[in-house]
Amino acid sequence: METIGKPLKRRSRIHSSEQRVAYICLIPAFLGLIFLTYAPLVGVLGISLTNWTGLKSPEFVGFDNYVKLFTTDPYIKDSIIATIYFAFLSVAGSMIYSLFIAMLLNRKIPARGFFRAVFYVPFVLPAVAIYVGWSWLYEANFGFFNYLLSEVGLNKILFIADSRYVVPSLSLIAVWLAGNLIVIFLAGLQNVPSVYHEAAEMDGANGWKRFRHITLPCMTPIIFYNLLMSLIANLQVVTPALALTNGGPGNSSRFMTYLMYDQAFVNYKLGYACATTFIIFAILAAFTAVLFKTSNRWIFSEGGDDK
Amino acid sequence: MKAGKRLGGVLLAAVLAIGAAGCGNSENNEKSAAPTGGESSKAPENTSSPTKKVKITYSMWGSAEEGNTTQAVADKFNASQDRIEVEVMAIPWENYMTKLNTLATANQLPDTGMLREDGVIQWSSQGMLNDVGSMYEGSDSKPLDSLAYKYQGKTVAYAAANEILLLYYNKDMFDKAGVPYPPSALDQAWTWDEFVAAAKKLTIDKNGKHPGEDGFDSQSIVQYGASVENLPWQLETWAISNGGGFYNNDGTEVRIGENASVEAIQKVADLYLKDHVAPLSVGQTDDGIQRTVIAGTVAMATNGQWNVGTSLNTAKEQGLNYGVAVLPYMNEKVTLNTGGANVVFSQTKHPEEAMEWLKWYTSEENNWGLISSGIWMPVLEKWYTDETLTRKWVENPNFPPYDEYKSAVVDYAQSSAARPASWFYTNHTTEFNTLLGSILGDVWTGKTTAADAISKNLEALKAAHSGSQ
């Protein structure tokens, strides 16, 4: 940066006026960030140190809420486990699924446009309608999947009514919903220079080798981006718990965001909910940091001078 | 981050509400100041004349359209006397309690309004509600005793409507199996064992076999005999019926750890696990009747009276031949009654006027649409005791046959079996029921027993009940 920065300083007045314009244009964005993101974040931290219920004026209670969360709260441990388990299955599943589908859709197959639309459609469907539909498929007594199982003489699977299967079942829906990842992968695949493939083909590399040594390395920046977006989205999962399971059976789908919602808008323990929010924030931050820290080890950059 | 934003939004909303409070005050000032601008020069004494009406606001949950309907009723009240002017504030159900919380923070609550069942004692405990015990003093008909919300011995609200739990059944399925209908009279109520025995006769696998017969296959059941709703608050019925309960009579102690309570919950779970007469339900969603009797997969199901008006009336038009009966019992005959509350907020300056409006408004004529459709039951005793009034209420095509409904619902609701649900007298029922629901998740599927699950979590349940969790 410094080597570029110094000559800039010697540039003309035009440049510094440009800078001024840039800062002025950035003001709305900064205001938005400060008042809609950072100030509320500080507010949440402040409220998390009180016993505010919304009815009485809040009293300062120090770190009581955090202490309670880590000692006597009956939900938070199960909730963190359920959320991470869900995020792991959903991220891994949707990355593999969407990369695979994107590669198929990148081939010159008939009706390609139609298939691209088909795989994207779940992503734009209204969430509640999707979950109602899946609830009929998963229903434990007379659902469609159980009908199929009983037709072939197998025992019923309770799916979302069973604490062992509920998270994998919900992850499957999340994978099926990953149409947005497919689109981004598809864009990435089209940027993989075809000369590499042609050259490798001449050298006699088979399909797997070309995937492993050309497609995959070229795709790593896109994979990183998708991984990050998908991880953040899945750690914040709440819709299936709200629309389908109400956190059950037991606590097996009481995801962190759902727990926070329940504390804040069902029980009106706003201070307590803010403390939970901060823990969610910390977990998200930790996962994101780990992902960024390890990224330079596996992201292939064409310049090659980063390493 | 997103979560942070959402809570931030709440904070912001609170800030805005406080801002609005400021605006509200200035608005009031303007109003009182307004006459000086216009006609005041002629007659300044007008402002203090006795004809000026007291303005009160009544909040309700519902759409803007429902709000307009209620406002039309309020306009009748406004025209009927010259002292009180009622304005209706309609708030969508999903945001209702959140909005009231925000208004409370801003000291801008309406004078009176509806409140969710589980919020009444909580709000009372924070000093937000007025004593309304004097509301029906000197009236010819009072609400049923079981419909008063009590906090520290004081009546802090009356239910806006009545609801009780009952047993619904599909008459065609009973006729086909040759099983007598469940009794609609309380003195003939089935014992639990009789109920299970009947349910077995009504449960059929794909080869036509019943549970207990040779070759019965519990994996290929095509019709179930019974479904007992296992939403936590409704389970209290069975705990009490078996001689236990969730709490003692004044809600000061938790009794769910007692053998009788635990055994009752296990019996409900065993309908699916051992008796094979019930479909699996994990007690998390409030659509029991749609999933069972209306779906045509279950012969009998327990649930609240409101289903008559919210779903069964449509199903009936489409050919469902259903009946109503009293609940079976374990030791004692018990049903729970409930109903959202009408309260007077303690922030009001006009408690008397608010009560006068509530008393007028909750007379059944004003909620006739909800009552005649079968969603609400009347609150005033006279509708249960005076047969002319009962007939006026029940004899319409939304209801099952008069005699059946009169016995299984009207008489049942005023019998000794009807007990107020726990939110009429104890606090923190939401926390308790949420925790109980989560504890019982693996009981319904048989991975653990009710005894194990509850004894392991008894301290947490007690903490939830005391509000310290």
Side-chain angles (χ1 to χ4, degrees):
Chain A
M1 277 301 282
E2 273 185 20
T3 48
I4 308 168
K6 269 178 189 166
L8 272 184
K9 275 187 188 164
R10 277 186 258 120
R11 287 269 171 89
S12 63
R13 270 179 298 151
I14 300 172
H15 194 84
S16 69
S17 84
E18 262 178 18
Q19 264 185 337
R20 210 176 307 134
V21 170
Y23 279 123
I24 290 169
C25 291
L26 277 172
I27 285 174
F30 273 124
L31 287 179
L33 264 180
I34 289 167
F35 287 103
L36 297 176
T37 305
Y38 294 117
L41 202 64
V42 173
V44 166
L45 181 64
I47 295 172
S48 79
L49 304 175
T50 71
N51 65 354
W52 197 34
T53 59
L55 291 181
K56 288 186 295 191
S57 48
E59 287 165 28
F60 181 78
V61 294
F63 287 96
D64 274 12
N65 289 328
Y66 293 92
V67 172
K68 250 192 226 175
L69 273 172
F70 285 113
T71 52
T72 59
D73 189 278
Y75 304 114
I76 188 104
K77 192 177 139 227
D78 290 347
S79 179
I80 292 175
I81 293 171
T83 310
I84 293 177
Y85 181 33
F86 175 84
F88 173 77
L89 287 182
S90 306
V91 171
S94 53
M95 292 298 286
I96 293 168
Y97 163 80
S98 51
L99 184 56
F100 179 72
I101 297 292
M103 287 176 63
L104 289 183
L105 294 178
N106 197 32
R107 291 173 167 237
K108 292 192 175 57
I109 51 169
R112 190 163 66 163
F114 170 74
F115 283 113
R116 284 180 179 182
V118 163
F119 285 101
Y120 190 68
V121 158
F123 182 67
V124 294
L125 291 176
V128 172
I130 288 170
Y131 287 108
V132 169
W134 278 88
S135 76
W136 293 335
L137 300 179
Y138 279 149
E139 210 274 329
N141 304 293
F142 297 105
F144 181 69
F145 289 158
N146 273 319
Y147 168 76
L148 293 182
L149 287 175
S150 74
E151 283 300 292
V152 297
L154 293 172
N155 276 358
K156 286 175 182 171
I157 296 174
L158 302 180
F159 295 107
I160 55 170
D162 187 321
S163 55
R164 280 172 305 176
Y165 299 133
V166 61
V167 168
S169 303
L170 296 179
S171 294
L172 183 64
I173 306 178
V175 169
W176 176 76
L177 280 172
N180 57 328
L181 300 187
I182 298 177
V183 172
I184 297 167
F185 273 138
L186 205 49
L189 284 171
Q190 282 164 0
N191 277 335
V192 175
S194 56
V195 284
Y196 294 168
H197 279 290
E198 284 158 14
E201 218 166 334
M202 291 233 247
D203 291 341
N206 63 20
W208 166 251
K209 278 186 175 159
R210 274 184 281 135
F211 171 75
R212 172 70 190 77
H213 295 287
I214 297 170
T215 312
L216 213 51
C218 288
M219 288 290 286
T220 46
I222 306 287
I223 292 174
F224 175 72
Y225 172 79
N226 270 349
L227 192 61
L228 189 65
M229 290 298 128
S230 158
L231 182 74
I232 291 174
N234 282 304
L235 282 172
Q236 292 183 3
V237 59
V238 66
T239 329
L242 277 174
L244 211 52
T245 64
N246 281 329
N251 291 330
S252 48
S253 65
R254 200 172 299 273
F255 303 122
M256 289 188 296
T257 310
Y258 180 78
L259 181 67
M260 181 214 74
Y261 164 82
D262 206 54
Q263 290 163 348
F265 302 111
V266 178
N267 294 325
Y268 295 97
K269 292 179 179 169
L270 296 171
Y272 199 60
C274 285
T276 310
T277 308
F278 239 77
I279 292 172
I280 301 176
F281 175 68
I283 292 174
L284 275 175
F287 272 96
T288 314
V290 168
L291 206 55
F292 266 101
K293 281 278 174 207
T294 56
S295 64
N296 59 351
R297 295 198 198 145
W298 55 271
I299 293 186
F300 172 82
S301 103
E302 262 184 289
D305 50 7
D306 264 1
K307 281 190 184 171
Chain B
M1 282 292 273
K2 218 178 218 172
K5 272 184 200 160
R6 183 195 283 216
L7 269 167
V10 174
L11 183 74
L12 212 71
V15 171
L16 289 178
I18 293 165
C23 298
N25 288 340
S26 62
E27 201 175 285
N28 288 345
N29 293 342
E30 273 165 32
K31 262 180 206 160
S32 53
T36 50
E39 301 162 42
S40 63
S41 54
K42 284 180 197 165
E45 65 272 24
N46 259 3
T47 48
S48 57
S49 76
T51 54
K52 196 190 176 193
K53 284 183 160 190
V54 169
K55 268 200 167 182
I56 61 172
T57 312
Y58 173 76
S59 65
M60 55 171 281
W61 53 70
S63 61
E65 201 179 319
E66 287 170 291
N68 291 339
T69 313
T70 308
Q71 184 65 58
V73 175
D75 288 342
K76 271 194 257 169
F77 175 74
N78 295 341
S80 74
Q81 39 72 41
D82 56 7
R83 291 172 300 108
I84 309 168
E85 177 88 17
V86 175
E87 195 188 327
V88 174
M89 177 202 281
I91 304 166
W93 161 250
E94 312 82 62
N95 307 328
Y96 190 78
M97 295 300 286
T98 307
K99 171 115 184 205
L100 283 190
N101 255 280
T102 315
L103 291 172
T105 312
N107 220 8
Q108 285 284 298
L109 277 174
D111 301 275
T112 164
M114 290 166 93
L115 205 59
R116 225 171 61 180
E117 299 89 327
D118 56 354
V120 179
I121 303 299
Q122 189 210 348
W123 281 55
S124 296
S125 71
Q126 310 220 6
M128 305 300 293
L129 303 184
N130 268 1
D131 185 341
V132 294
S134 62
M135 199 152 101
Y136 287 95
E137 266 170 21
S139 292
D140 60 330
S141 187
K142 292 181 177 182
L144 295 175
D145 289 339
S146 50
L147 293 175
Y149 285 83
K150 302 265 188 186
Y151 179 68
Q152 293 182 339
K154 282 183 284 188
T155 301
V156 289
Y158 286 104
N162 190 16
E163 298 292 352
I164 60 167
L165 301 181
L166 34 130
L167 181 67
Y168 294 99
Y169 61 97
N170 181 322
K171 289 185 173 172
D172 293 340
M173 288 183 183
F174 274 79
D175 291 343
K176 212 173 155 195
V179 178
Y181 295 155
S184 59
L186 182 60
D187 55 1
Q188 293 156 26
W190 275 346
T191 63
W192 188 260
D193 291 339
E194 287 170 329
F195 170 67
V196 174
K200 283 188 176 165
K201 289 182 199 152
L202 290 153
T203 303
I204 311 165
D205 75 2
K206 69 178 171 199
N207 300 317
K209 302 256 187 206
H210 304 289
E213 287 181 2
D214 282 345
F216 170 75
D217 176 14
S218 65
Q219 289 291 325
S220 67
I221 293 169
V222 293
Q223 177 188 307
Y224 288 97
S227 169
V228 167
E229 180 56 63
N230 56 358
L231 283 170
W233 76 269
Q234 294 198 22
L235 284 175
E236 192 184 10
T237 321
W238 308 105
I240 299 174
S241 177
N242 204 31
F246 283 7
Y247 316 100
N248 63 349
N249 281 340
D250 58 1
T252 49
E253 273 169 48
V254 172
R255 292 185 60 192
I256 198 166
E258 291 176 16
N259 287 340
S261 315
V262 169
E263 185 191 55
I265 292 172
Q266 190 63 51
K267 277 186 178 178
V268 173
D270 284 347
L271 290 175
Y272 163 76
L273 296 168
K274 290 205 178 129
D275 305 321
H276 302 298
V277 298
L280 175 67
S281 162
V282 289
Q284 295 282 4
T285 50
D286 197 0
D287 55 350
I289 289 298
Q290 286 93 321
R291 271 188 278 124
T292 56
V293 172
I294 292 177
T297 53
V298 180
M300 300 180 266
T302 72
N303 220 312
Q305 191 285 148
W306 61 87
N307 287 286
V308 168
T310 55
S311 54
L312 282 161
N313 51 356
T314 320
K316 189 180 170 199
E317 275 169 28
Q318 291 163 359
L320 175 70
N321 185 12
Y322 81 94
V324 286
V326 297
L327 295 177
Y329 69 99
M330 293 178 180
N331 269 319
E332 240 181 293
K333 295 171 184 174
V334 175
T335 184
L336 293 184
N337 71 327
T338 183
N342 268 320
V343 302
V344 175
F345 295 104
S346 60
Q347 289 177 6
T348 181
K349 290 191 189 84
H350 310 290
E352 295 303 322
E353 287 81 0
M355 279 200 280
E356 189 174 335
W357 148 250
L358 276 190
K359 188 176 161 188
W360 182 88
Y361 175 57
T362 48
S363 67
E364 278 66 21
E365 291 79 2
N366 295 321
N367 290 302
W368 197 245
L370 286 163
I371 289 171
S372 65
S373 67
I375 296 175
W376 283 11
M377 290 160 67
V379 291
L380 295 181
E381 205 171 11
K382 61 182 179 186
W383 292 86
Y384 297 80
T385 50
D386 180 341
E387 201 189 321
T388 347
L389 289 176
T390 313
R391 283 193 182 273
K392 188 183 165 204
W393 158 28
V394 175
E395 279 187 330
N396 84 55
N398 288 323
F399 288 85
Y402 176 80
D403 290 332
E404 198 179 290
Y405 188 89
K406 161 90 167 104
S407 172
V409 183
V410 182
D411 293 345
Y412 198 29
Q414 53 168 342
S415 73
S416 60
R419 313 277 190 94
S422 48
W423 42 60
F424 277 89
Y425 56 87
T426 192
N427 202 350
H428 306 297
T429 50
T430 319
E431 288 99 318
F432 185 90
N433 288 336
T434 306
L435 182 59
L436 182 62
S438 98
I439 287 167
L440 296 177
D442 280 343
V443 173
W444 309 123
T445 51
K447 282 210 259 311
T448 181
T449 61
D452 274 358
I454 289 174
S455 64
K456 251 187 242 166
N457 292 285
L458 193 55
E459 289 314 310
L461 282 164
K462 286 179 179 170
H465 172 249
S466 69
S468 64
Q469 167 237 305

